[in-house]
Amino acid sequence: SQTIHQWPATLVQPVGSPLSLECTVEGTSNPNLYWYRQAAGRGLQLLFYSIGIDQISSEVPQNLSASRPQDRQFILSSKKLLLSDSGFYLCAWSPPGQGAGTEAFFGQGTRLTVV
Amino acid sequence: TQLLEQSPQFLSIQEGENLTVYCNSSSVFSSLQWYRQEPGEGPVLLVTVVTGGEVKKLKRLTFQFGDARKDSSLHITAAQPGDTGLYLCAGRRSSGSARQLTFGSGTQLTVLP
């Protein structure tokens, strides 16, 4: 069965420090991978998605970047964090291909607080 | 602007009451999904609807996809405190990248015992 791991669960970082959040998927090959950010009690904003190694699409201009160095590894990074980067970050995967009923499976999320 | 608008944003009801949550858009979707999220966790898929006019039932939950595939509703019968959570609709557009899943703004449901 497929599993998704996201870490760390919580993170407190000072303004101006770097960021690296990691997500790995097991039990599947060539998954579509996503990074979302969620404001408290609200919907999810898509930040990045990837259909393959080194193939990253950015949805919104921001202080963040994403990389996919391996097929099942997706990393969210920042060189210098801003206060506005605080939030709940979610990694997700979906099966490859463009099937209409393809759903996304989410990690447990990372609560990032920039102080 | 939000591609998928959910209403109401917040809903607080007594145990045993019925409720309906709506998810509306001006765009056509090839499929639409409903997720439920607990605090501090990732969303969990409840159902996927694909065909316009489709109705799916999951115990006390009834999901409907609009005929034009632009909207959906979630109806809960005899709500229980365990139904409390954030309900999110998400759609895959017929045009553009089919790999993108667009989420609605969410409905925070609280069921009081």
Side-chain angles (χ1 to χ4, degrees):
Chain A
S1 62
Q2 302 88 1
T3 56
I4 179 169
H5 303 280
Q6 182 182 343
W7 68 93
T10 59
L11 190 60
V12 180
Q13 291 284 99
V15 169
S17 65
L19 172 73
S20 181
L21 302 181
E22 190 161 343
C23 173
T24 59
V25 180
E26 297 177 359
T28 186
S29 296
N30 197 31
N32 299 317
L33 296 173
Y34 310 83
W35 278 111
Y36 288 89
R37 179 166 56 199
Q38 184 178 30
R42 303 294 287 151
L44 279 63
Q45 179 188 32
L46 180 62
L47 302 176
F48 300 94
Y49 75 95
S50 171
I51 61 172
I53 294 175
D54 295 330
Q55 299 179 68
I56 312 290
S57 294
S58 175
E59 289 300 295
V60 292
Q62 59 208 319
N63 185 42
L64 302 168
S65 62
S67 61
R68 185 172 177 172
Q70 300 180 46
D71 180 44
R72 291 168 289 177
Q73 182 185 28
F74 206 24
I75 299 171
L76 183 68
S77 304
S78 174
K79 291 182 180 179
K80 289 186 178 182
L81 283 169
L82 306 172
L83 286 174
S84 58
D85 291 324
S86 294
F88 191 52
Y89 290 84
L90 287 156
C91 180
W93 75 274
S94 67
Q98 300 188 35
T102 305
E103 63 266 29
F105 301 91
F106 287 84
Q108 289 292 94
T110 296
R111 173 72 59 193
L112 172 65
T113 304
V114 183
V115 296
Chain B
T1 57
Q2 194 79 29
L3 188 62
L4 279 168
E5 295 287 346
Q6 283 186 242
S7 61
Q9 183 178 342
F10 299 98
L11 187 57
S12 181
I13 61 171
Q14 293 295 132
E15 182 176 2
E17 293 183 354
N18 302 331
L19 67 112
T20 302
V21 176
Y22 299 93
C23 177
N24 296 299
S25 177
S26 58
S27 300
V28 176
F29 292 93
S30 58
S31 69
L32 201 139
Q33 297 155 9
W34 285 92
Y35 293 79
R36 180 168 166 269
Q37 184 179 20
E38 302 272 3
E41 298 183 5
V44 176
L45 180 71
L46 296 174
V47 77
T48 299
V49 286
V50 179
T51 306
E54 182 177 3
V55 177
K56 280 192 175 180
K57 292 192 175 183
L58 187 65
K59 296 184 179 178
R60 295 176 291 101
L61 278 61
T62 301
F63 305 85
Q64 185 166 7
F65 201 12
D67 291 339
R69 291 185 290 137
K70 293 182 178 181
D71 54 82
S72 180
S73 64
L74 158 60
H75 182 79
I76 301 179
T77 304
Q80 299 176 1
D83 296 326
T84 294
L86 179 67
Y87 288 82
L88 296 158
C89 65
R92 290 194 182 276
R93 275 173 279 177
S94 298
S95 60
S97 171
R99 297 179 180 92
Q100 295 182 38
L101 191 62
T102 302
F103 279 81
S105 46
T107 294
Q108 181 62 53
L109 170 66
T110 303
V111 182
L112 303 171

